[in-house]
Amino acid sequence: MPNFPPHSTRVRDGVCERGSVPEIVPIDDAADPRVSDYVGLTDPDLRRKRQRTGDSGYFIAEGTVVIRQLLRSPYRVRSLFLTPARLATLEPELTGLAAPVYVASQEVVNAVSGFHLHRGAIASAHRDQLPAAAVLAACADLVVITEGLNDHENLGALFRNAAAFGAGGVLLDPTSADPLYRRSVRVSVGQVLHVPFARATPWPGGIALLQEQGFEVLALTPAADAEDIAGIDRRPRQALLLGAEGPGLSPAALGAADRRVRIPMAGAVDSLNVATAAAIALHHLARRP
């Protein structure tokens, strides 16, 4: 185990910064209660039990790339659980971290998590209270709205695209999946930690809430009579409404939107993966410097 000095020093932007290093805690027993946040990460029954008992006030970030995003995000870290190799990789970025860093062999990490965690790095962070939908809308000029988007990988990819094209927030209907689910966070490459999100309840009332704040709501649909997205003018405030693959948007959601838009496609293909479709539409709507 590396022996760290009580403080570490680094130079940033020509200025010498000195900050305390986190507590490094060796873990040699998979039953150690200090790493209980990481037990059985692939066990759906255990996950549901935690939700029933209220022990779901945290989420898991996996891999060094995502953990770096977590360290730069507004979320408060509970702890890190690393192999020695990953500790060496992340150590320069842990200065000032007010959370313990648990370090264990790959075998112990695997035993705790319940699968071969080849990335060798996971972190636990506190969930924040979600902002009200009206607050999220007030702070953005380009918003993504989802209805029934319950695939965690699609949701993670959607957040990555939202970040890439400058969306100021994502508004989720009550049936959309949890953006902070481990797989969503990983697929988003940590971008879900930087894009604000809120729940729209009741639904589809959240659509009207955006319209009241001056948003033009564009419902993305493969319907042949919808407008070509390329012909839509950019306006100061716009929202892109997306449904799940397969069922698409409900009649109520489509009826509540200001306009229906589509992405023209060649041949017999009439639809795209929802995250891919969102990327194309957001590229058109994105605000550019």
Side-chain angles (χ1 to χ4, degrees), residues 255-287:
D258 295 300
R259 301 166 80 173
R260 296 186 305 149
V261 298
R262 67 188 297 267
I263 299 169
M265 283 167 271
V269 177
D270 67 351
S271 64
L272 296 169
N273 170 275
V274 63
T276 302
I280 294 170
L282 287 171
H283 178 264
H284 176 73
L285 299 175
R287 310 301 186 257

Side-chain angles (χ1 to χ4, degrees), residues 8-277:
S8 64
T9 304
R10 63 182 173 185
V11 176
R12 176 184 288 174
D13 298 330
V15 177
C16 178
E17 293 184 344
R18 184 176 175 86
S20 59
V21 298
E23 178 187 9
I24 308 297
V25 182
I27 300 291
D28 54 17
D29 182 357
D32 194 314
R34 291 174 292 185
V35 292
S36 60
D37 283 4
Y38 308 103
V39 171
L41 294 180
T42 60
D43 185 340
D45 292 332
L46 181 58
R47 184 170 64 249
R48 285 190 287 268
K49 179 181 177 182
R50 285 170 171 163
Q51 291 172 341
R52 287 195 304 270
T53 59
D55 187 18
S56 58
Y58 63 91
F59 65 93
I60 298 297
E62 179 185 338
T64 55
V65 172
V66 174
I67 289 174
R68 286 190 177 102
Q69 293 296 335
L70 172 62
L71 295 171
R72 299 171 188 141
S73 79
Y75 291 92
R76 293 176 298 126
V77 178
R78 283 164 64 101
S79 67
L80 270 64
F81 191 27
L82 311 173
T83 62
R86 294 297 175 259
L87 173 61
T89 299
L90 287 169
E91 184 274 329
E93 298 165 73
L94 300 182
T95 300
L97 179 64
V101 177
Y102 301 120
V103 181
S105 67
Q106 184 70 60
E107 290 73 21
V108 171
V109 171
N110 293 346
V112 172
S113 64
F115 67 107
H116 179 64
L117 188 71
H118 66 275
R119 293 176 177 86
I122 40 179
S124 171
H126 294 276
R127 288 177 179 266
D128 292 336
Q129 183 175 356
L130 292 182
V135 172
L136 181 143
C139 297
D141 63 3
L142 179 60
V143 170
V144 177
I145 314 173
T146 70
E147 181 187 51
L149 193 56
N150 50 27
D151 183 281
H152 292 103
E153 293 191 4
N154 281 340
L155 191 60
L158 176 66
F159 268 85
R160 185 178 185 181
N161 293 335
F165 296 111
V170 176
L171 190 61
L172 307 154
D173 85 313
T175 66
S176 289
D178 175 16
L180 294 181
Y181 181 69
R182 179 174 59 90
R183 189 176 302 163
S184 293
V185 177
R186 186 181 73 236
V187 172
S188 80
V189 198
Q191 292 305 318
V192 70
L193 306 176
H194 300 288
V195 178
F197 64 91
R199 291 281 178 183
T201 52
W203 181 258
I207 296 174
L209 182 149
L210 288 178
Q211 291 163 329
E212 291 166 3
Q213 295 204 30
F215 280 87
E216 179 186 44
V217 178
L218 307 172
L220 194 60
T221 171
D225 60 348
E227 300 176 68
D228 186 337
I229 185 72
I232 300 297
D233 293 332
R234 296 186 188 120
R235 296 190 179 182
R237 310 194 88 186
Q238 288 176 310
L240 181 66
L241 175 60
L242 303 164
E245 293 180 44
L249 290 166
S250 67
L254 284 168
D258 295 300
R259 301 166 80 173
R260 296 186 305 149
V261 298
R262 67 188 297 267
I263 299 169
M265 283 167 271
V269 177
D270 67 351
S271 64
L272 296 169
N273 170 275
V274 63
T276 302

